[in-house]
Amino acid sequence: MTLRFHDSATATVRDFVPLQKGKASLYYCGATVQGEPHIGHVRSALAFDQLTRWLQTSGYEVTVVRNVTDIDDKILVKAAENNEPWWALAYRFEQAFENAYDSLGILKPTYEPRATGHIPEMHALIQTLIERGHAYPALDDSGDVYFDVRSWKAYGSLTHQNIDDMQAAPDADPRGKRDPRDFALWKGHKDGDPETAKWESPWGAGRPGWHLECSAMVTKYLGTEFDIHGGGLDLRFPHHENEMAQSQAAGHGFANFWMHNGMVTYQGEKMSKSIGNTINPREMLELARPLVVRYYLGQAHYRSVLDYRPTSLAEAGAAVERIETFIEAARKQLFPGNGFGYIGTRPEAFAAAMDDDLNVPAALAVLHETVRAGNTALAAGDADRVQEAFLAVLGMADALGMNPLDEKWATAAGSPAALGALDVLVKAQLEARALARAEKNWAESDKIRDLLAAAGVVVADTAAGATWSLQK
RNA sequence: GGUGGGGUGGCCGAGAGGCGAGGCAACGGACUGCAAAUCCGUGCACACGGGUUCGAAUCCCGUUCCCACCUCCA
């Protein structure tokens, strides 16, 4: 069984061969922190979280770097509109992104560098590009420095485009450029720009252009050549194309794999900052538990379009509860006490699905099939098979970052002491109800059940007696 | 104009020449005092038209519709 990933640069699914045996280096584009995160941002991070976890599960030591682009045109514009320092706005939204990532259980990267902390590295890269004849100071005296796309024959290769076939950008400002497609590595300081957004450089004071920060930072932390570069599909062009061009033109091998996640659409249309049809993760978390949101966002293949509909979260919730119900029932049967330890397993079919370019939907099918087998075993009282299914379900859920038993997802449950007290109280009610039932006093029995239900305690009658759980 | 991805049962969503994907919803049954949960069963799914093949959702040709990117985008 071989680990295979889709590589956008070659447009093929091919075997993953790490540069260093047993290690994997992953860089994926985080946010330009110019506004609240929307679901698309989170889906992207989740896709690469699934990738990270599967690499780890497969035994790789993974180094993950995700950038924060904390200086760019939009940040400056919005800060000015807001009458707020740009760095305050950027940091505010950076934290909003962190919160969104955290709430969905997205693993922290190994490191998360900020663009503004890497100006010297960017200068070095620009210098190299100028020396190699792939960049030039603006032909006017703007202080800009541009990448010369015509000087780099491979330009367009990531997205399989030919420069001459591209539609000319209607709003391209050709001032000072040799070719309208040349992009800014460095933007000269202009009157009116904040003084705090100004750094000295050999080409005059200014600030970095978009694209450059990623090249500079990935090289610093992962080296001139690394395993995987990721990001949203919409970043392929121009962002990743430009990144690849400027890094390779500087003599770097750069990324071995380019992985791009699909967009999230809202009723068929791409969610986009510019259109404004976005859903805030916070809004989604008001509609469903974090685990359910994670399940929903992660259930489709990462390269597929994910279309959000109003019923999506409820459906995901039902699927999650099915898994949880089995885990709870199995746990109670296998480990009647509170504490237990386990070593999760993963069926071959699950691993095969994940190895095949992270086929999460197929992997989830294995998980659900295992849940059904486990439920059947529970009904049959086959403890060995229950345990087998239990360990497999937990192992698979762990690999996907969706283990309901993980304290990360604890919701209504309070401290162990509080839960213990609640258990005593509820059990007293259940005993009273058992007595009523023995007397076939259904009115009394149902009254107790309704009372508990009103308090958020769900009662379930099983062959072994009544059990309870908190309403999810 | 260029580049790429798609149209799968009521909905979501995998698969990619023969073998049940899976989930949600619905209906029928089992279990249950009734529920809930669970299990079993049901749906003649592959945009359309041709073709190749013993066999096509999957390959080929044509048609059609949708989406994304082409310097703000995860």
Side-chain angles (χ1 to χ4, degrees):
Chain A
M1 200 179 305
T2 333
L3 190 50
R4 296 151 55 79
F5 296 131
H6 180 268
D7 170 32
S8 303
T10 56
T12 55
V13 176
R14 54 192 180 85
D15 290 356
F16 177 67
V17 182
L19 290 168
Q20 289 182 61
K21 198 167 187 292
K23 295 188 177 180
S25 47
L26 165 67
Y27 181 96
Y28 71 93
C29 284
T32 296
V33 285
Q34 49 117 346
E36 291 284 340
H38 64 72
I39 285 303
H41 294 113
V42 178
R43 192 228 180 154
S44 180
L46 179 55
F48 293 103
D49 187 58
Q50 288 176 332
L51 170 62
T52 302
R53 287 173 189 267
W54 187 242
L55 285 167
Q56 288 173 339
T57 302
S58 302
Y60 289 94
E61 185 186 315
V62 189
T63 303
V64 182
V65 175
R66 178 180 66 206
N67 65 294
V68 173
T69 296
D70 58 346
I71 178 73
D72 98 312
D73 291 355
K74 279 206 166 174
I75 291 173
L76 295 176
V77 169
K78 289 199 172 179
E81 286 170 4
N82 238 15
N83 211 13
E84 179 182 13
W86 63 271
W87 40 268
L89 179 137
Y91 188 55
R92 189 155 55 82
F93 288 129
E94 179 182 325
Q95 290 170 87
F97 272 87
E98 296 300 320
N99 290 339
Y101 294 147
D102 283 349
S103 63
L104 296 181
I106 288 159
L107 296 171
K108 294 264 189 211
T110 313
Y111 188 54
E112 190 163 29
R114 295 193 188 113
T116 51
H118 298 79
I119 305 290
E121 288 82 355
M122 296 185 208
H123 288 168
L125 182 54
I126 294 172
Q127 187 61 49
T128 301
L129 288 171
I130 290 175
E131 285 166 7
R132 287 177 158 242
H134 296 300
Y136 59 94
L139 307 177
D140 55 19
D141 58 356
S142 60
D144 294 353
V145 181
Y146 298 118
F147 182 85
D148 186 346
V149 297
R150 294 282 177 185
S151 76
W152 184 245
K153 287 197 302 285
Y155 189 77
S157 64
L158 177 64
T159 48
H160 316 108
Q161 296 186 99
N162 185 316
I163 297 180
D164 295 313
D165 290 335
M166 290 185 205
Q167 205 169 50
D171 58 344
D173 180 359
R175 70 194 157 76
K177 291 183 181 178
R178 292 177 184 166
D179 185 286
R181 292 166 194 82
D182 290 351
F183 56 91
L185 300 169
W186 189 251
K187 297 187 170 189
H189 185 80
K190 294 179 200 63
D191 289 342
D193 286 352
E195 288 299 306
T196 47
K198 175 175 154 189
W199 289 265
E200 294 305 323
S201 91
W203 313 280
R207 58 190 167 85
W210 189 37
H211 318 305
L212 187 66
E213 80 282 17
C214 283
S215 285
M217 294 191 288
V218 69
T219 301
K220 174 160 186 169
Y221 299 107
L222 298 181
T224 56
E225 193 174 356
F226 55 98
D227 293 310
I228 303 169
H229 189 128
L233 193 58
D234 52 352
L235 289 184
R236 250 178 351 152
F237 194 93
H239 184 53
H240 289 162
E241 188 74 70
N242 290 355
E243 242 185 85
M244 189 171 93
Q246 69 201 359
S247 287
Q248 293 187 341
H252 302 166
F254 217 55
N256 272 347
F257 277 81
W258 285 90
M259 294 177 70
H260 291 101
N261 63 277
M263 301 293 96
V264 181
T265 57
Y266 185 85
Q267 293 171 346
E269 274 205 327
K270 191 186 82 161
M271 288 191 201
S272 162
K273 283 178 213 165
S274 57
I275 299 173
N277 60 342
T278 62
I279 297 180
N280 192 307
R282 245 184 281 149
E283 293 168 325
M284 223 178 234
L285 287 166
E286 282 166 13
L287 297 170
R289 294 178 283 146
L291 178 58
V292 170
V293 174
R294 182 177 172 108
Y295 182 96
Y296 165 65
L297 290 174
Q299 67 178 341
H301 184 91
Y302 76 91
R303 283 194 282 124
S304 298
V305 172
L306 181 65
D307 194 31
Y308 177 76
R309 297 167 308 114
T311 56
S312 299
L313 289 170
E315 286 166 14
V320 169
E321 275 175 38
R322 185 176 155 72
I323 296 166
E324 288 173 324
T325 301
F326 166 69
I327 290 175
E328 263 310 294
R331 189 189 65 76
K332 277 179 180 154
Q333 179 172 312
L334 297 168
F335 303 95
N338 280 328
F340 72 97
Y342 69 92
I343 296 173
T345 61
R346 279 170 300 282
E348 251 179 58
F350 178 89
M354 292 298 284
D355 279 351
D356 183 17
D357 194 31
L358 301 181
N359 191 337
V360 172
L364 281 173
V366 176
L367 198 161
H368 277 105
E369 281 162 3
T370 307
V371 165
R372 190 192 306 120
N375 279 327
T376 301
L378 273 170
D382 186 338
D384 287 348
R385 280 176 190 273
V386 170
Q387 173 157 323
E388 190 186 327
F390 181 69
L391 297 180
V393 167
L394 291 182
M396 291 187 275
D398 270 333
L400 294 170
M402 298 195 311
N403 184 347
L405 295 180
D406 192 323
E407 63 183 19
K408 157 88 206 152
W409 308 114
T411 49
S415 68
L419 270 179
L422 185 61
D423 189 51
V424 170
L425 294 171
V426 172
K427 280 206 171 128
Q429 295 290 316
L430 290 180
E431 276 168 30
R433 178 164 171 273
L435 280 176
R437 293 185 74 213
E439 294 165 4
K440 297 199 189 295
N441 183 351
W442 309 128
E444 177 64 14
S445 161
D446 290 349
K447 188 179 151 194
I448 294 172
R449 187 169 63 194
D450 291 346
L451 178 74
L452 290 171
V457 174
V458 180
V459 175
D461 292 318
T462 71
T467 63
W468 69 275
S469 59
L470 287 170
Q471 178 80 46
K472 296 293 191 306

